[in-house]
């Protein structure tokens, strides 16, 4: 079995491509089951955020697992796989481990050091667990990834310089308006990132706050938490006419804010500018909306420019974090390698112990009058001999496994000592390549 990570992200694909493959939360469970049913992937976790769609898996043939996963993802979204291939990357084994650790620690994020990604990775892992697509290898990998992310956060200053989608949105709004105090904000969608952006705006004096969401109860709940007002979804256009800043973060598959809708709104509101921050993927606002006079429309890729300055501040800390991750990748590989040879070591011990115990019984049968101290001495002597014999092969197994050649030595030990099986199958899924 081989561990792999494949997908596309903000580095390899623009938002126009990423939004084609974005998966709604309620569809992930169905996709996990469908992909697993192909038999091409033994273990699997799917992560779909605004900046990445990635599959982490364990498979006999990683290429087949990758094809099965992305084939289903593309069919779900009605997208041709061939058109996405140039944007898709694949990492195997050590590189896959490193990639998962970097994603969880936010070193692969658009905004290095942001905190949302760790929660998103944990949610993806939890969902895969409920779908029973997580086996021992991915369980160990993600458990370690969460620990590594915590170490990066606590042992470096990577989170010191506040950088996030919400922070970038506020910085962008401040550039458009001469201060945010008294600016009316409309939150379209009740997602976490939109909520964080709204809270940032409130902290900078923006008021009042309106919330529009297709689920009315959620709109009311979020409006109460922001000391704002919920607005029925059917009155979206009316709400647009009353605000200065619009933050959109829905999970809609198609734009909810059209050019024609905004054009009518702008005719009624006169020269007062309207500022859209569209952090949804797929985007909630038609791109041509930004062409209208008095309308400023930014999507998630535009936020990249705002955060570049703070990213530079974090670059130095990121270097420390990268070094930490390299050490953790090495430790994880060693641990998996040790886990690979444990069944062979246990079988070897059991084999020699059975021989020792049998020979001791035979010897004592010929010495029925042997006193207790003699019996104890024979037991101790035989156990010491077994331990001496075991020392060399166990040491060699560990060394060879850590050197990436454990499989051949396990086979040799199995043949020499007549152990069950050939020793060529690691229990618990993936093993390092020999």
């Amino acid at each position: 079995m081989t561990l792999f990570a494949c997908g596309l992200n903000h580095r390899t694909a623009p938002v126009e491509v990423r939004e084609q493959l974005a998966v709604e939360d309620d569809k992930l469970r169905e996709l996990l089951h469908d992909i697993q049913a192909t038999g091409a992937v033994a273990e699997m976790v799917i992560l779909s955020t605004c900046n990445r769609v990635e599959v982490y898996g364990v498979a006999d043939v990683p290429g087949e697992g990758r094809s099965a996963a992305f084939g289903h993802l593309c069919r779900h979204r009605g997208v041709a796989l061939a058109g996405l291939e140039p944007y898709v990357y694949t990492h195997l084994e050590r590189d896959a481990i490193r990639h998962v650790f970097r994603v969880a620690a936010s070193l692969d994020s658009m905004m290095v050091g942001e905190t949302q990604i760790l929660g998103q990775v944990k949610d993806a892992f939890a969902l895969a667990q409920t779908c029973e697509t997580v086996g021992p290898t991915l369980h160990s990998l993600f458990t370690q990834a969460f620990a590594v992310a915590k170490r990066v956060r606590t042992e470096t200053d990577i989170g010191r310089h506040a950088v996030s989608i919400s922070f970038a949105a506020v910085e962008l709004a401040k550039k458009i308006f001469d201060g945010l105090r008294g600016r009316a904000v409309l939150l379209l969608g009740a997602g976490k990132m939109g909520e964080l952006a709204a809270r940032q705006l409130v902290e900078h004096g923006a008021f009042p706050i309106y919330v529009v969401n297709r689920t009315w109860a959620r709109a009311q709940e979020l409006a109460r938490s922001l000391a704002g007002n919920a607005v029925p979804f059917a009155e979206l256009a009316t709400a647009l006419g009353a605000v200065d800043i619009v933050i959109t973060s829905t999970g809609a598959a198609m734009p909810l804010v059209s050019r024609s809708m905004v054009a009518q709104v702008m005719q009624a509101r006169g020269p007062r500018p309207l500022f859209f921050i569209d952090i949804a993927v797929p985007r909630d606002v038609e791109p041509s909306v930004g062409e209208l006079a008095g309308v400023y429309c930014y999507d998630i890729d535009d936020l990249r420019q705002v955060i570049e300055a703070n990213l530079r501040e974090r670059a130095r800390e990121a270097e420390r974090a990268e070094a930490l991750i390299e050490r953790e990748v090495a430790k994880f590989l060693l641990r998996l390698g040790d886990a690979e040879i444990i069944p062979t070591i246990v079988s070897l011990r059991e084999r020699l112990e059975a021989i020792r115990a049998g020979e001791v019984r035979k010897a004592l049968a010929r010495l029925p009058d042997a006193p207790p101290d003699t019996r104890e001495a024979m037991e101790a002597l035989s156990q010491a001999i077994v331990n001496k014999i075991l020392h060399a092969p166990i040491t060699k197994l560990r060394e060879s496994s850590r050197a990436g050649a454990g499989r051949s030595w396990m086979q040799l030990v199995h043949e020499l000592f007549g152990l069950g099986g050939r020793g060529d199958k690691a229990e618990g899924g993936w093993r390092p390549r020999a």
Side-chain angles (χ1 to χ4, degrees), residues 81-104:
L81 178 58
L84 295 179
E85 282 291 356
Y87 304 101
V88 178
Y89 45 81
T90 302
H91 302 301
L92 301 177
E93 302 187 304
R94 175 185 286 270
D95 291 338
I97 296 168
R98 181 186 299 108
H99 182 75
V100 173
F101 286 3
R102 294 185 77 251
V103 169

Side-chain angles (χ1 to χ4, degrees), residues 4 22 40 65 107 167 240 311 375 388 406 414:
F4 70 93
L107 291 179
F167 178 84
L240 289 175
L311 286 178
R375 294 174 179 270
K388 291 284 187 183
H414 275 252

Side-chain angles (χ1 to χ4, degrees), residues 304-324:
R304 183 197 301 269
Q305 299 175 11
V306 179
I307 64 174
E308 282 182 348
N310 279 354
L311 286 178
R312 286 193 290 273
E313 293 293 330
R314 291 188 171 186
R316 185 170 52 193
E317 292 304 314
E319 290 180 5
R320 292 180 57 203
E322 295 281 9
L324 186 154

Side-chain angles (χ1 to χ4, degrees), residues 37-50:
T38 66
V41 184
E43 301 182 36
M44 178 178 45
V45 171
I46 298 177
L47 175 64
S48 178
T49 73
C50 58

